[in-house]
Protein backbone atom coordinates (compact mmCIF):
# COMPACT_ATOMS: atom_id res chain seq x y z
CA UNK A 1 0.00 0.00 0.00
CA UNK A 2 2.79 2.43 0.85
CA UNK A 3 4.54 1.59 -2.42
CA UNK A 4 1.36 2.35 -4.38
CA UNK A 5 0.96 5.74 -2.65
CA UNK A 6 4.57 6.67 -3.43
CA UNK A 7 4.01 5.89 -7.12
CA UNK A 8 0.88 8.05 -7.22
CA UNK A 9 2.70 10.90 -5.50
CA UNK A 10 5.63 10.67 -7.95
CA UNK A 11 3.27 10.59 -10.96
CA UNK A 12 1.43 13.69 -9.67
CA UNK A 13 4.75 15.50 -9.27
CA UNK A 14 5.75 14.59 -12.84
CA UNK A 15 2.43 15.87 -14.18
CA UNK A 16 2.89 19.17 -12.33
CA UNK A 17 6.40 19.56 -13.78
CA UNK A 18 5.12 18.85 -17.31
CA UNK A 19 2.34 21.42 -16.93
CA UNK A 20 4.84 24.00 -15.68
CA UNK A 21 7.10 23.40 -18.70
CA UNK A 22 4.16 23.84 -21.06
CA UNK A 23 3.28 27.14 -19.41
CA UNK A 24 6.89 28.30 -19.70
CA UNK A 25 6.98 27.43 -23.42
CA UNK A 26 3.73 29.28 -24.02
CA UNK A 27 5.04 32.35 -22.20
CA UNK A 28 8.26 32.30 -24.25
CA UNK A 29 6.29 32.09 -27.51
CA UNK A 30 4.13 35.04 -26.48
CA UNK A 31 7.22 37.07 -25.54
CA UNK A 32 8.84 36.27 -28.92
CA UNK A 33 5.73 37.38 -30.81
CA UNK A 34 5.55 40.60 -28.79
CA UNK A 35 9.23 41.28 -29.52
CA UNK A 36 8.74 40.81 -33.27
CA UNK A 37 5.75 43.17 -33.25
CA UNK A 38 7.78 45.83 -31.46
CA UNK A 39 10.67 45.43 -33.96
CA UNK A 40 8.29 45.69 -36.92
CA UNK A 41 6.72 48.89 -35.55
CA UNK A 42 10.13 50.42 -34.97
CA UNK A 43 11.20 49.59 -38.51
CA UNK A 44 8.03 51.14 -39.93
CA UNK A 45 8.61 54.26 -37.85
CA UNK A 46 12.20 54.40 -39.10
CA UNK A 47 10.97 54.05 -42.70
CA UNK A 48 8.52 56.94 -42.19
CA UNK A 49 11.31 59.02 -40.67
CA UNK A 50 13.62 58.33 -43.64
CA UNK A 51 10.87 59.26 -46.07
CA UNK A 52 10.32 62.54 -44.23
CA UNK A 53 14.06 63.24 -44.28
CA UNK A 54 14.36 62.45 -48.01
CA UNK A 55 14.23 65.83 -49.80
CA UNK A 56 13.60 64.18 -53.19
CA UNK A 57 10.64 62.11 -52.10
CA UNK A 58 7.44 63.23 -53.79
CA UNK A 59 4.28 62.85 -51.67
CA UNK A 60 1.86 60.34 -53.14
CA UNK A 61 4.48 58.76 -55.40
CA UNK A 62 5.73 55.19 -55.37
CA UNK A 63 9.46 55.20 -54.73
CA UNK A 64 11.01 52.47 -56.86
CA UNK A 65 14.46 52.63 -55.30
CA UNK A 66 13.78 51.34 -51.79
CA UNK A 67 15.54 48.27 -50.43
CA UNK A 68 12.79 45.81 -51.27
CA UNK A 69 13.40 46.42 -54.99
CA UNK A 70 17.18 46.22 -54.85
CA UNK A 71 18.86 42.83 -55.42
CA UNK A 72 21.57 41.83 -53.03
CA UNK A 73 24.68 42.64 -54.98
CA UNK A 74 27.17 39.81 -55.03
CA UNK A 75 30.71 40.64 -53.92
CA UNK A 76 32.86 41.67 -56.83
CA UNK A 77 34.42 38.67 -58.46
CA UNK A 78 37.77 38.27 -60.14
CA UNK A 79 36.60 37.78 -63.69
CA UNK A 80 39.03 36.07 -65.99
CA UNK A 81 38.83 33.95 -69.09
CA UNK A 82 37.36 34.76 -72.48
CA UNK A 83 36.17 38.34 -72.81
CA UNK A 84 32.55 38.91 -73.72
CA UNK A 85 32.30 42.25 -75.56
CA UNK A 86 28.88 43.84 -75.14
CA UNK A 87 28.00 46.91 -77.22
CA UNK A 88 25.27 49.19 -75.87
CA UNK A 89 24.35 52.83 -76.54
CA UNK A 90 23.87 55.55 -73.94
CA UNK A 91 21.64 58.49 -74.84
CA UNK A 92 21.46 61.25 -72.22
CA UNK A 93 17.69 61.11 -71.88
CA UNK A 94 17.80 57.29 -71.43
CA UNK A 95 20.95 56.96 -69.35
CA UNK A 96 19.11 55.27 -66.49
CA UNK A 97 18.00 52.56 -68.90
CA UNK A 98 21.58 51.77 -69.89
CA UNK A 99 22.63 51.56 -66.24
CA UNK A 100 19.81 49.13 -65.38
CA UNK A 101 20.58 46.99 -68.44
CA UNK A 102 24.31 46.77 -67.65
CA UNK A 103 23.66 46.07 -63.98
CA UNK A 104 21.35 43.17 -64.86
CA UNK A 105 23.91 41.71 -67.28
CA UNK A 106 26.79 42.03 -64.83
CA UNK A 107 25.04 40.74 -61.70
CA UNK A 108 23.65 37.64 -63.42
CA UNK A 109 26.97 36.38 -64.73
CA UNK A 110 30.44 35.46 -63.50
CA UNK A 111 31.90 35.92 -66.98
CA UNK A 112 34.56 38.41 -68.05
CA UNK A 113 32.18 41.02 -69.49
CA UNK A 114 33.47 44.19 -71.11
CA UNK A 115 30.89 46.86 -71.93
CA UNK A 116 31.57 49.07 -74.94
CA UNK A 117 29.31 52.05 -74.28
CA UNK A 118 28.65 54.17 -77.35
CA UNK A 119 27.49 57.68 -76.52
CA UNK A 120 27.55 61.30 -77.60
CA UNK A 121 30.20 63.72 -76.44
CA UNK A 122 27.83 65.74 -74.22
CA UNK A 123 26.84 62.63 -72.22
CA UNK A 124 30.33 61.42 -71.30
CA UNK A 125 30.71 63.31 -68.01
CA UNK A 126 27.32 62.22 -66.69
CA UNK A 127 28.02 58.61 -67.69
CA UNK A 128 31.43 58.62 -66.02
CA UNK A 129 29.96 59.78 -62.72
CA UNK A 130 27.30 57.06 -62.83
CA UNK A 131 29.93 54.42 -63.58
CA UNK A 132 32.41 55.52 -60.91
CA UNK A 133 30.22 56.69 -58.03
CA UNK A 134 27.99 53.60 -57.81
CA UNK A 135 28.37 49.83 -57.52
CA UNK A 136 29.25 49.77 -61.23
CA UNK A 137 32.70 51.17 -60.48
CA UNK A 138 34.32 47.72 -60.87
CA UNK A 139 32.61 46.94 -64.16
CA UNK A 140 35.00 46.76 -67.10
CA UNK A 141 33.95 49.23 -69.75
CA UNK A 142 35.10 51.48 -72.55
CA UNK A 143 33.33 54.71 -73.51
CA UNK A 144 33.18 55.31 -77.24
CA UNK A 145 32.19 58.68 -78.73
CA UNK A 146 29.81 58.38 -81.67
CA UNK A 147 30.42 60.90 -84.44
CA UNK A 148 27.14 61.90 -86.13
CA UNK A 149 29.15 62.81 -89.25
CA UNK A 150 29.18 59.07 -89.98
CA UNK A 151 25.54 59.44 -91.02
CA UNK A 152 25.99 62.29 -93.52
CA UNK A 153 24.07 61.44 -96.67
CA UNK A 154 22.70 58.26 -95.10
CA UNK A 155 19.54 59.47 -93.38
CA UNK A 156 16.52 61.38 -94.63
CA UNK A 157 16.57 65.16 -94.94
CA UNK A 158 12.81 65.33 -94.56
CA UNK A 159 12.33 67.68 -91.56
CA UNK A 160 9.17 65.83 -90.49
CA UNK A 161 11.09 62.56 -90.19
CA UNK A 162 14.44 63.98 -89.13
CA UNK A 163 13.27 64.71 -85.58
CA UNK A 164 12.60 61.01 -85.00
CA UNK A 165 16.07 59.95 -86.15
CA UNK A 166 18.36 59.17 -83.22
CA UNK A 167 22.00 58.87 -84.39
CA UNK A 168 22.96 56.36 -81.69
CA UNK A 169 20.44 53.85 -82.98
CA UNK A 170 22.80 53.22 -85.92
CA UNK A 171 25.76 52.37 -83.67
CA UNK A 172 25.05 48.64 -84.09
CA UNK A 173 26.03 48.98 -87.77
CA UNK A 174 29.56 49.99 -86.77
CA UNK A 175 30.50 47.34 -84.22
CA UNK A 176 33.71 46.27 -86.01
CA UNK A 177 34.78 49.92 -86.11
CA UNK A 178 34.25 50.39 -82.37
CA UNK A 179 35.85 47.11 -81.27
CA UNK A 180 38.23 46.18 -84.12
CA UNK A 181 40.04 43.44 -82.18
CA UNK A 182 36.92 41.51 -81.21
CA UNK A 183 35.98 38.40 -83.17
CA UNK A 184 32.51 38.07 -81.66
CA UNK A 185 30.26 40.48 -79.77
CA UNK A 186 26.77 41.04 -78.43
CA UNK A 187 24.73 44.14 -79.18
CA UNK A 188 21.93 45.10 -76.76
CA UNK A 189 19.32 47.84 -76.93
CA UNK A 190 19.11 49.94 -73.78
CA UNK A 191 15.49 49.02 -72.95
CA UNK A 192 16.31 45.45 -71.96
CA UNK A 193 16.85 43.52 -68.75
CA UNK A 194 18.91 40.32 -68.68
CA UNK A 195 17.86 37.60 -66.24
CA UNK A 196 20.13 34.80 -67.45
CA UNK A 197 23.89 34.36 -67.75
CA UNK A 198 25.04 36.38 -70.78
CA UNK A 199 27.65 33.68 -71.44
CA UNK A 200 24.82 31.49 -72.70
CA UNK A 201 23.78 34.12 -75.25
CA UNK A 202 27.39 34.70 -76.27
CA UNK A 203 27.78 30.96 -76.91
CA UNK A 204 24.99 31.07 -79.53
CA UNK A 205 26.19 29.01 -82.48
CA UNK A 206 26.23 30.84 -85.81
CA UNK A 207 26.08 28.89 -89.03
CA UNK A 208 29.03 28.96 -91.39
CA UNK A 209 29.03 32.16 -93.43
CA UNK A 210 26.59 33.94 -91.10
CA UNK A 211 27.71 37.27 -89.66
CA UNK A 212 24.89 37.65 -87.16
CA UNK A 213 22.12 35.92 -85.22
CA UNK A 214 18.76 37.53 -84.45
CA UNK A 215 15.47 36.50 -82.89
CA UNK A 216 12.79 36.01 -85.54
CA UNK A 217 9.49 37.81 -85.08
CA UNK A 218 7.60 34.57 -85.68
CA UNK A 219 9.34 32.62 -82.91
CA UNK A 220 7.27 30.81 -80.28
CA UNK A 221 8.12 33.05 -77.33
CA UNK A 222 7.22 36.45 -78.78
CA UNK A 223 4.82 35.63 -81.63
CA UNK A 224 1.87 36.37 -79.36
CA UNK A 225 3.39 39.77 -78.74
CA UNK A 226 3.38 40.82 -82.40
CA UNK A 227 2.60 44.49 -82.88
CA UNK A 228 -0.68 44.88 -84.71
CA UNK A 229 -1.75 48.03 -86.47
CA UNK A 230 -1.10 49.62 -89.82
CA UNK A 231 1.01 47.09 -91.63
CA UNK A 232 2.26 43.73 -90.43
CA UNK A 233 5.25 44.21 -88.16
CA UNK A 234 6.21 40.54 -88.17
CA UNK A 235 7.14 40.31 -91.85
CA UNK A 236 9.11 42.19 -94.47
CA UNK A 237 6.19 44.07 -96.00
CA UNK A 238 5.76 45.86 -92.68
CA UNK A 239 9.20 47.44 -93.07
CA UNK A 240 9.88 47.81 -96.82
CA UNK A 241 7.97 49.31 -99.74
CA UNK A 242 7.70 46.44 -102.20
CA UNK A 243 6.36 48.80 -104.88
CA UNK A 244 9.78 50.41 -105.25
CA UNK A 245 11.98 49.04 -108.06
CA UNK A 246 15.08 48.76 -105.88
CA UNK A 247 13.19 46.45 -103.53
CA UNK A 248 11.49 44.49 -106.31
CA UNK A 249 14.83 43.68 -107.93
CA UNK A 250 16.03 41.92 -104.79
CA UNK A 251 13.48 39.15 -105.29
CA UNK A 252 12.62 38.97 -101.59
CA UNK A 253 9.30 37.52 -100.48
CA UNK A 254 7.13 40.14 -98.79
CA UNK A 255 5.70 37.66 -96.28
CA UNK A 256 9.13 36.54 -95.05
CA UNK A 257 9.29 36.61 -91.26
CA UNK A 258 11.21 39.66 -90.03
CA UNK A 259 13.55 39.80 -87.04
CA UNK A 260 14.19 42.26 -84.24
CA UNK A 261 17.70 43.81 -84.12
CA UNK A 262 17.46 44.87 -80.46
CA UNK A 263 19.62 41.87 -79.58
CA UNK A 264 22.39 40.76 -81.93
CA UNK A 265 25.06 38.10 -81.59
CA UNK A 266 27.64 39.05 -84.20
CA UNK A 267 30.55 37.17 -85.77
CA UNK A 268 32.64 40.28 -86.40
CA UNK A 269 35.25 38.40 -88.39
CA UNK A 270 32.58 37.36 -90.87
CA UNK A 271 30.97 40.80 -90.63
CA UNK A 272 34.19 42.43 -91.81
CA UNK A 273 34.84 39.79 -94.48
CA UNK A 274 31.42 40.45 -96.03
CA UNK A 275 31.66 44.25 -95.64
CA UNK A 276 28.33 44.27 -93.80
CA UNK A 277 28.77 47.86 -92.62
CA UNK A 278 29.31 49.06 -96.21
CA UNK A 279 26.25 47.15 -97.37
CA UNK A 280 24.10 48.70 -94.66
CA UNK A 281 25.37 52.18 -95.51
CA UNK A 282 24.52 51.58 -99.18
CA UNK A 283 20.88 50.87 -98.35
CA UNK A 284 20.72 53.80 -95.96
CA UNK A 285 21.94 56.13 -98.73
CA UNK A 286 19.55 54.64 -101.26
CA UNK A 287 16.62 55.05 -98.88
CA UNK A 288 17.57 58.71 -98.30
CA UNK A 289 17.28 59.18 -102.07
CA UNK A 290 14.33 56.91 -102.95
CA UNK A 291 12.34 56.43 -99.71
CA UNK A 292 12.40 52.63 -99.72
CA UNK A 293 10.98 51.98 -96.29
CA UNK A 294 7.34 51.13 -95.65
CA UNK A 295 4.99 54.06 -95.08
CA UNK A 296 3.49 52.13 -92.17
CA UNK A 297 6.85 51.60 -90.50
CA UNK A 298 6.23 51.52 -86.76
CA UNK A 299 9.53 50.20 -85.47
CA UNK A 300 13.14 51.36 -85.58
CA UNK A 301 14.39 52.72 -88.88
CA UNK A 302 17.51 50.62 -88.39
CA UNK A 303 15.54 47.46 -89.11
CA UNK A 304 14.90 47.76 -92.89
CA UNK A 305 18.55 47.82 -94.06
CA UNK A 306 19.35 44.92 -91.74
CA UNK A 307 16.42 42.94 -93.17
CA UNK A 308 17.78 43.48 -96.68
CA UNK A 309 21.40 42.64 -95.94
CA UNK A 310 20.61 39.60 -93.80
CA UNK A 311 17.73 38.24 -95.90
CA UNK A 312 17.70 34.47 -95.31
CA UNK A 313 21.33 34.71 -94.28
CA UNK A 314 21.37 34.89 -90.51
CA UNK A 315 21.29 32.49 -87.58
CA UNK A 316 18.69 32.38 -84.81
CA UNK A 317 18.79 33.28 -81.13
CA UNK A 318 17.01 31.17 -78.54
CA UNK A 319 13.54 32.80 -78.24
CA UNK A 320 13.82 32.99 -74.45
CA UNK A 321 16.87 35.20 -74.94
CA UNK A 322 14.75 37.87 -76.58
CA UNK A 323 11.24 38.07 -75.14
CA UNK A 324 9.97 41.36 -76.51
CA UNK A 325 6.97 43.66 -77.00
CA UNK A 326 6.84 44.39 -73.27
CA UNK A 327 6.55 48.04 -74.28
CA UNK A 328 3.45 47.42 -76.38
CA UNK A 329 -0.15 48.00 -75.35
CA UNK A 330 -1.55 45.09 -73.34
CA UNK A 331 1.79 43.46 -72.55
CA UNK A 332 0.64 42.88 -68.98
CA UNK A 333 -2.18 40.69 -70.27
CA UNK A 334 -0.12 39.06 -72.99
CA UNK A 335 2.55 37.57 -70.73
CA UNK A 336 2.07 35.88 -67.38
CA UNK A 337 4.32 36.81 -64.45
CA UNK A 338 5.63 33.24 -64.47
CA UNK A 339 6.64 33.51 -68.12
CA UNK A 340 8.33 36.88 -67.58
CA UNK A 341 10.25 35.47 -64.62
CA UNK A 342 11.46 32.51 -66.72
CA UNK A 343 12.64 34.66 -69.65
CA UNK A 344 16.41 35.10 -70.03
CA UNK A 345 16.15 38.55 -71.61
CA UNK A 346 13.23 40.99 -71.58
CA UNK A 347 12.84 43.78 -74.14
CA UNK A 348 10.48 46.73 -73.68
CA UNK A 349 10.40 47.64 -77.37
CA UNK A 350 7.38 49.76 -78.17
CA UNK A 351 6.07 53.08 -76.90
CA UNK A 352 5.92 52.26 -73.20
CA UNK A 353 9.24 52.05 -71.36
CA UNK A 354 9.76 50.60 -67.86
CA UNK A 355 11.02 53.95 -66.55
CA UNK A 356 7.87 55.70 -67.78
CA UNK A 357 4.39 56.02 -66.31
CA UNK A 358 2.38 53.35 -68.11
CA UNK A 359 4.64 50.36 -68.82
CA UNK A 360 4.04 46.76 -67.79
CA UNK A 361 6.35 44.79 -65.48
CA UNK A 362 8.14 47.88 -64.22
CA UNK A 363 8.95 46.06 -60.98
CA UNK A 364 11.38 43.85 -62.91
CA UNK A 365 13.22 46.88 -64.25
CA UNK A 366 13.17 48.66 -60.88
CA UNK A 367 15.05 45.73 -59.38
CA UNK A 368 18.16 46.59 -61.43
CA UNK A 369 18.03 50.36 -61.59
CA UNK A 370 20.77 52.27 -59.75
CA UNK A 371 19.87 55.78 -58.65
CA UNK A 372 21.56 58.60 -60.52
CA UNK A 373 24.26 60.11 -58.27
CA UNK A 374 23.80 63.41 -60.12
CA UNK A 375 20.00 63.25 -59.66
CA UNK A 376 19.28 64.16 -63.27
CA UNK A 377 17.47 60.98 -64.34
CA UNK A 378 14.17 60.37 -62.58
CA UNK A 379 11.96 57.40 -63.50
CA UNK A 380 8.30 58.38 -63.57
CA UNK A 381 5.84 56.36 -61.53
CA UNK A 382 2.09 56.41 -61.09
CA UNK A 383 0.59 58.10 -58.06
CA UNK A 384 -0.13 55.64 -55.31
CA UNK A 385 -3.83 54.96 -54.68
Amino acid sequence: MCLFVRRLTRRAADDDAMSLRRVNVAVLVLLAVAFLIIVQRNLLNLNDFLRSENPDAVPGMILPFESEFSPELRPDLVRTGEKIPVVITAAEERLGAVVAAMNSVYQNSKSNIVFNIVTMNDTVDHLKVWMTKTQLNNVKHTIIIFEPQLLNGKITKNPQKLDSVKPLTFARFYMPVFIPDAEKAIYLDDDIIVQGDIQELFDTSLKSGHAAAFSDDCDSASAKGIVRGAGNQNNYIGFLDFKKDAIKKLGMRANTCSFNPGVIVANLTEWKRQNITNQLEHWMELNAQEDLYSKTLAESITTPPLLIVFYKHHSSIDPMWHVRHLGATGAGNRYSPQFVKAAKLLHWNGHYKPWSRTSSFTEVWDKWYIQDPMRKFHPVRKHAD
Side-chain angles (χ1 to χ4, degrees):
M1 182 67 178
C2 291
L3 179 62
F4 178 70
V5 170
R6 287 195 194 97
R7 286 179 177 173
L8 287 177
T9 302
R10 191 174 299 154
R11 182 176 299 170
D14 291 343
D15 290 342
D16 289 342
M18 181 66 72
S19 298
L20 183 59
R21 282 196 293 270
R22 288 175 179 168
V23 170
N24 289 339
V25 170
V27 170
L28 288 173
V29 170
L30 291 173
L31 287 172
V33 170
F35 175 76
L36 291 174
I37 291 173
I38 292 171
V39 170
Q40 183 186 29
R41 286 180 177 175
N42 286 337
L43 288 175
L44 290 174
N45 290 336
L46 176 61
N47 183 58
D48 292 338
F49 172 75
L50 291 175
R51 282 173 179 266
S52 67
E53 290 296 307
N54 181 4
D56 295 315
V58 181
M61 298 291 286
I62 299 173
L63 300 178
F65 316 121
E66 297 175 10
S67 59
E68 61 263 34
F69 288 109
S70 302
E72 183 178 347
L73 298 175
R74 65 176 59 174
D76 191 52
L77 302 168
V78 177
R79 303 188 180 215
T80 59
E82 180 185 23
K83 289 183 180 180
I84 298 182
V86 176
V87 177
I88 193 166
T89 60
E92 177 68 29
E93 68 276 11
R94 295 164 64 112
L95 210 48
V98 185
V99 167
M102 291 192 295
N103 192 32
S104 71
V105 172
Y106 189 76
Q107 297 297 335
N108 282 305
S109 178
K110 298 179 181 179
S111 299
N112 188 13
I113 303 164
V114 180
F115 291 102
N116 301 273
I117 311 169
V118 185
T119 189
M120 307 297 280
N121 193 52
D122 57 1
T123 305
V124 172
D125 290 342
H126 190 183
L127 177 60
K128 283 182 177 179
V129 171
W130 220 326
M131 296 298 294
T132 57
K133 302 296 184 181
T134 67
Q135 54 263 54
L136 294 177
N137 63 342
N138 290 321
V139 174
K140 296 178 182 177
H141 67 280
T142 301
I143 297 177
I144 301 164
I145 307 299
F146 186 83
E147 299 294 344
Q149 293 83 352
L150 277 173
L151 304 179
N152 288 346
K154 302 179 183 70
I155 54 178
T156 180
K157 294 182 179 179
N158 185 333
Q160 293 181 339
K161 297 181 179 179
L162 195 57
D163 289 341
S164 63
V165 176
K166 307 297 182 185
L168 285 175
T169 194
F170 297 99
R172 71 198 83 189
F173 292 2
Y174 298 95
M175 283 189 284
V177 178
F178 299 143
I179 45 176
D181 296 330
E183 296 181 357
K184 191 176 184 181
I186 294 172
Y187 169 83
L188 299 175
D189 271 355
D190 61 3
D191 52 353
I192 62 95
I193 288 294
V194 170
Q195 301 185 130
D197 188 339
I198 200 74
Q199 180 76 54
E200 184 181 333
L201 179 62
F202 187 72
D203 290 340
T204 297
S205 178
L206 275 68
K207 295 180 181 179
S208 177
H210 286 185
F214 306 93
S215 183
D216 290 332
D217 284 327
C218 303
D219 64 42
S220 58
S222 292
K224 56 185 176 180
I226 290 170
V227 178
R228 301 295 183 185
N232 298 308
Q233 292 302 141
N234 66 323
N235 54 34
Y236 270 49
I237 200 171
F239 294 90
L240 297 164
D241 187 347
F242 277 79
K243 296 178 181 179
K244 296 295 177 69
D245 289 338
I247 301 300
K248 285 182 182 178
K249 291 177 182 178
L250 295 172
M252 300 184 300
R253 296 184 61 179
N255 63 350
T256 300
C257 185
S258 56
F259 55 77
N260 186 295
V263 178
I264 306 172
V265 179
N267 178 339
L268 297 182
T269 301
E270 194 65 35
W271 189 294
K272 288 183 282 190
R273 191 189 69 80
Q274 297 181 29
N275 292 319
I276 297 295
T277 297
N278 290 341
Q279 292 186 55
L280 293 169
E281 288 183 325
H282 165 74
W283 287 105
M284 290 170 66
E285 292 170 355
L286 202 58
N287 175 67
Q289 299 166 13
E290 301 181 19
D291 200 15
L292 303 177
Y293 301 165
S294 172
K295 300 297 185 297
T296 60
L297 185 63
E299 291 290 320
S300 170
I301 58 172
T302 57
T303 302
L306 286 164
L307 292 178
I308 295 172
V309 172
F310 287 102
Y311 178 71
K312 293 190 175 181
H313 199 66
H314 67 275
S315 297
S316 297
I317 291 173
D318 180 342
M320 293 303 284
W321 268 103
H322 195 177
V323 173
R324 51 200 176 276
H325 305 307
L326 272 72
T329 303
N333 297 323
R334 186 173 296 118
Y335 297 127
S336 70
Q338 293 79 13
F339 178 76
V340 169
K341 185 176 181 179
K344 301 293 183 67
L345 184 150
L346 301 169
H347 188 185
W348 279 264
N349 62 311
H351 294 294
Y352 307 109
K353 302 303 180 184
W355 56 89
S356 67
R357 190 178 296 277
T358 54
S359 178
S360 299
F361 303 108
T362 55
E363 69 280 1
V364 179
W365 186 88
D366 288 340
K367 181 180 176 183
W368 300 106
Y369 177 72
I370 300 172
Q371 192 168 3
D372 183 2
M374 296 182 69
R375 300 184 181 276
K376 290 183 177 180
F377 184 91
H378 298 285
V380 179
R381 289 294 177 264
K382 291 182 179 179
H383 285 278
D385 295 330

